[in-house]
Amino acid sequence: MTPSFRRKHPVRARAASAASAVVLAALSATALVSCGSDDDSGGSSSVSDGATPPDQESFAGEPPSALASAAESAAAEARESASSAAASASAREASRKASIGTDIEQSRQAAQNALKDVDGRGNALNEVGMTGKPRAETGGRLAVLVSVTNKTGAEASYAAQVDFLDASGKVVETQFVGTEDLAPGGRAQLLVTSREPASPPLTPRLTKAQRY
């Protein structure tokens, strides 16, 4: 009988422990309900039903209207800056073309003056040559490239006269080109474009070439 009593005793102990745990859980639940209720306000819940609106003062930055105005202002400034840059570039290009035109005219005038008193065809025909330019590269206009090579041992200036002749051999246009202070062995290429219409066709001729 002693062994049987020893086996049943642990079972009663575990049952008593389980009953105590149930009682403690019930008491804990009652305490939580009591804490969550307010006796003075008729049992209303202490949890707010509505969300608290954010404090606008805690936000940084500008309102949408100010941002839009700033964007428009920046865009206007960018457009004005681009317009000013384009105008400045256009003015620089116009000035560059005017400068080039002035240089060409001065060179033409110097070549014409150098050839004014030259008899015959000049002393530099063996240093000056001429080749035609494809009309596809000149917008359909008749143009030739005058090449000058200083074959002497000293610095020299050159002048050339190019005539444009019609089918009968009559000179209908004359142009002068030149280069100054060309170093020994130096080479220069000068473009001559006819101002006459493309039709009827003309024939270019290197009439004079003078070294001076």
Side-chain angles (χ1 to χ4, degrees):
M1 294 300 293
T2 300
S4 175
F5 172 78
R6 288 178 180 175
R7 285 194 301 268
K8 292 180 179 180
H9 181 70
V11 174
R12 288 197 299 271
R14 287 196 297 270
S17 298
S20 298
V22 171
V23 172
L24 289 174
L27 290 176
S28 298
T30 303
L32 289 174
V33 172
S34 298
C35 292
S37 62
D38 189 352
D39 294 339
D40 295 336
S41 59
S44 62
S45 174
S46 62
V47 180
S48 174
D49 294 333
T52 302
D55 184 4
Q56 295 185 359
E57 294 182 355
S58 64
F59 291 96
E62 298 179 350
S65 59
L67 291 175
S69 298
E72 292 177 0
S73 177
E77 291 180 0
R79 288 192 296 269
E80 182 178 355
S81 177
S83 177
S84 298
S88 179
S90 178
R92 288 195 300 270
E93 180 64 13
S95 177
R96 185 185 70 84
K97 289 181 178 180
S99 178
I100 292 175
T102 300
D103 293 342
I104 291 175
E105 177 58 27
Q106 290 176 348
S107 177
R108 187 199 68 79
Q109 190 63 50
Q112 184 175 358
N113 292 337
L115 291 170
K116 182 172 56 176
D117 299 325
V118 172
D119 293 329
R121 302 191 62 189
N123 60 8
L125 285 177
N126 65 330
E127 298 175 79
V128 179
M130 186 179 70
T131 56
K133 291 282 290 182
R135 290 183 182 267
E137 299 178 6
T138 62
R141 304 296 297 273
L142 176 59
V144 294
L145 194 64
V146 176
S147 300
V148 181
T149 303
N150 184 354
K151 298 180 180 180
T152 71
E155 186 176 82
S157 297
Y158 292 83
Q161 175 182 329
V162 178
D163 291 331
F164 294 90
L165 293 71
D166 63 13
S168 66
K170 178 184 176 180
V171 175
V172 297
E173 181 183 6
T174 297
Q175 291 198 36
F176 300 93
V177 292
T179 181
E180 297 180 343
D181 304 327
L182 191 63
R187 191 164 184 256
Q189 291 186 320
L190 311 169
L191 182 66
V192 180
T193 304
S194 173
R195 293 183 290 268
E196 295 295 317
S199 182
L202 301 176
T203 302
R205 181 184 69 189
L206 179 61
T207 303
K208 292 183 179 183
Q210 181 73 14
R211 180 180 64 254
Y212 64 98

